[in-house]
Amino acid sequence: MLAELKIAQLRHFVWVAELKGFHAAAEKAHRTQPAISLSIRDLENKLGEGLFEKRNAKTAKTELTPFGQHFLPQAKELIAHHDRIAEDMALLVQHKTGHLRLAVVPSIASRMLPGILQRFMANTPELHLSIFDANSDRVLEMVDSRQVDFGIASLWEPQSDKTFIPVWEDRVGVVCHRNHPLACETQLNWKQLRGHRQISNGTTRLLANSDAEELIDSAQFYISNMISLIAMLDVDMGITTLPWFAFPQDNPNLKFIPLADPAVVREIGILSQAQRSLTPPAQALVDYILETEGQRKS
């Protein structure tokens, strides 16, 4: 049977791995270097495998063994899980209402969430809240790994182990510089985009299984980061497709033209694990979003 792993030893291991040395890890831990070495040796004995290669006299860096490379993300996950529980328990001891963690796509985090949270938090002033801004794939990963209570994103494919409640819809359009030849159009057919330099992004996959699917493969550039994408569009390096919520409406240099043929709509909603109940604060926020956004649509 595997011996009990101590969180302190896991922290020492992660620090040595990330800082590439026992001395630097000892300084971070406010311990002596022999104490860190002893901690790592004990952890290796418990695991039954070495974590670090033997020191190379020519380099001062400490390198992970193949087993150590595999164990590093597992150790980080164990530490993060421990810290989340410890933080939640500390809040309960202080008679706080809890800690709510959300992963949200940037378009909703910047457009819809501020107003929702301002109203919701008025009745829960002591609730601690952490918001992680990420693309839909990363939101899904964080829901999977239980790093967050729930996520707000698009679900590209149905998943039996996830609950997805649609909340918002936004239409896909073409985004270009105001001086671009297409900027004078009021709506566009996807065929009109041929011959123009395409820049794809994380939401371009919305065109899959539509008449405009060929635009996905015809893109000359792919940019995943929204800030970098807007910078490229700002200097008229090409055109892209974006949902309306993701369009930077305060940017005077850019134009959003609805894509009329095909009309592509993105659904954004609440993502959670199907077989896991939400914490009371998380469920309260979900209920509030569904109630207020339902009223707004009606």
Side-chain angles (χ1 to χ4, degrees):
M1 181 181 293
L2 187 64
E4 179 183 355
L5 302 180
K6 296 180 179 179
I7 289 295
Q9 290 178 328
L10 295 176
R11 291 192 201 277
H12 297 161
F13 162 63
V14 170
W15 290 340
V16 173
E18 291 182 339
L19 299 173
K20 300 290 187 182
F22 284 75
H23 179 72
E27 288 188 340
K28 185 176 180 68
H30 303 290
R31 302 285 298 277
T32 64
Q33 185 168 328
I36 297 298
S37 298
L38 183 62
S39 176
I40 297 297
R41 193 178 312 122
D42 187 47
L43 178 59
E44 290 175 326
N45 290 336
K46 289 176 179 178
L47 295 170
E49 290 283 348
L51 295 169
F52 296 99
E53 302 285 3
K54 292 183 179 180
R55 298 287 297 275
N56 187 335
K58 294 182 180 179
T59 65
K61 292 184 178 179
T62 303
E63 301 294 339
L64 289 166
T65 63
F67 177 80
Q69 293 173 3
H70 177 77
F71 183 61
L72 181 59
Q74 312 295 330
K76 288 182 176 180
E77 186 174 338
L78 285 170
I79 293 169
H81 183 64
H82 169 274
D83 290 349
R84 285 195 298 272
I85 292 175
E87 187 176 13
D88 287 346
M89 293 306 100
L91 288 172
L92 286 176
V93 169
Q94 298 167 26
H95 306 291
K96 302 293 185 181
T97 57
H99 192 151
L100 179 56
R101 298 176 179 85
L102 312 177
V104 188
V105 290
S107 53
I108 297 300
S110 60
R111 290 279 186 89
M112 315 301 294
L113 204 57
I116 290 172
L117 290 178
Q118 183 185 37
R119 298 187 297 272
F120 177 75
M121 295 291 289
N123 297 319
T124 54
E126 292 189 328
L127 178 66
H128 287 236
L129 185 66
S130 295
I131 300 174
F132 302 91
D133 185 319
N135 62 32
S136 287
D137 290 334
R138 179 59 182 150
V139 169
L140 189 58
E141 289 175 8
M142 295 184 79
V143 171
D144 269 333
S145 62
R146 298 186 180 182
Q147 292 177 261
V148 293
D149 295 283
F150 67 88
I152 297 178
S154 295
L155 188 62
W156 305 110
E157 297 176 359
Q159 298 191 24
S160 59
D161 62 337
K162 300 290 182 303
T163 298
F164 179 71
I165 307 173
V167 180
W168 298 278
E169 288 185 352
D170 59 343
R171 191 169 176 179
V172 172
V174 177
V175 179
C176 63
H177 195 276
R178 63 182 180 181
N179 295 331
H180 193 278
L182 294 177
C184 60
E185 303 289 342
T186 56
Q187 62 180 25
L188 288 166
N189 180 300
W190 73 270
K191 293 180 181 178
Q192 293 174 265
L193 309 187
R194 288 172 171 167
H196 297 283
R197 179 186 286 146
Q198 307 282 329
I199 304 175
S200 65
N201 60 77
T203 66
T204 306
R205 73 181 97 176
L206 289 165
L207 302 179
N209 302 317
S210 75
D211 291 341
E213 187 169 22
E214 75 171 50
L215 297 175
I216 299 174
D217 296 326
S218 66
Q220 186 174 352
F221 300 135
Y222 172 79
I223 302 176
S224 62
N225 181 276
M226 182 59 68
I227 294 176
S228 300
L229 175 64
I230 299 306
M232 284 288 203
L233 296 169
D234 257 336
V235 296
D236 203 9
M237 279 294 291
I239 63 174
T240 195
T241 56
L242 281 175
W244 171 244
F245 284 161
F247 174 64
Q249 297 178 31
D250 57 348
N251 189 317
N253 294 325
L254 303 182
K255 180 83 180 290
F256 180 93
I257 308 128
L259 188 62
D261 185 14
V264 179
V265 175
R266 174 180 68 160
E267 278 191 331
I268 304 172
I270 296 167
L271 269 169
S272 59
Q273 294 190 349
Q275 304 302 322
R276 186 167 182 248
S277 299
L278 295 175
T279 63
Q283 187 62 59
L285 178 55
V286 167
D287 293 342
Y288 184 79
I289 291 172
L290 296 178
E291 178 186 355
T292 56
E293 292 306 298
Q295 290 174 354
R296 189 176 64 85
K297 290 179 182 179
S298 59

